[in-house]
Amino acid sequence: LSFHPTLPWLLCTSSDRRLRIFEIDGIENRLVHSLPIQNIDVICARFLMDGKKILILAQRPSLFLWDLDKRCLERIT
């Protein structure tokens, strides 16, 4: 789990290879984004401090960045 640095968003990962972002308002806590991360077994994911990207650690020794604005995945290592 990871909280967005400026928005009331909560990021969570799941075994179905999706990152989900929920808007936490204490009433509905609605789903804002469901991001498909195909062919990657996610260990953990965190919002970066600027809040525009998500750092993803995969089971293989790999790091990825998901750009929320561009909706694209970039492999770092």
Side-chain angles (χ1 to χ4, degrees), residues 2 4 15-16 20 24 26 28 30 32-34 42 44 47 49 51-56 59 64-65 70-71:
S2 175
H4 192 277
S15 60
D16 66 354
R20 289 181 174 83
I24 305 301
E28 287 187 32
R30 70 180 182 89
V32 176
H33 296 291
S34 180
V42 177
C44 70
F47 284 109
M49 290 307 295
K52 296 180 181 181
K53 294 184 180 178
I54 297 171
L55 181 66
I56 302 165
Q59 189 167 3
F64 297 86
L65 278 179
K70 296 177 184 174
R71 293 183 167 254

Side-chain angles (χ1 to χ4, degrees), residues 9-77:
W9 285 2
L10 176 67
L11 168 69
C12 64
T13 62
S14 64
S15 60
D16 66 354
R17 295 183 175 163
R18 289 192 164 276
L19 302 179
R20 289 181 174 83
I21 300 174
F22 294 91
E23 181 178 32
I24 305 301
D25 62 5
I27 299 169
E28 287 187 32
N29 302 324
R30 70 180 182 89
L31 179 66
V32 176
H33 296 291
S34 180
L35 312 169
I37 308 295
Q38 298 175 357
N39 302 323
I40 300 172
D41 293 321
V42 177
I43 293 175
C44 70
R46 298 285 184 259
F47 284 109
L48 294 183
M49 290 307 295
D50 66 359
K52 296 180 181 181
K53 294 184 180 178
I54 297 171
L55 181 66
I56 302 165
L57 174 62
Q59 189 167 3
R60 291 176 254 152
S62 301
L63 289 173
F64 297 86
L65 278 179
W66 180 272
D67 189 309
L68 288 168
D69 293 334
K70 296 177 184 174
R71 293 183 167 254
C72 66
L73 187 67
E74 173 187 349
R75 185 180 181 143
I76 299 173
T77 62

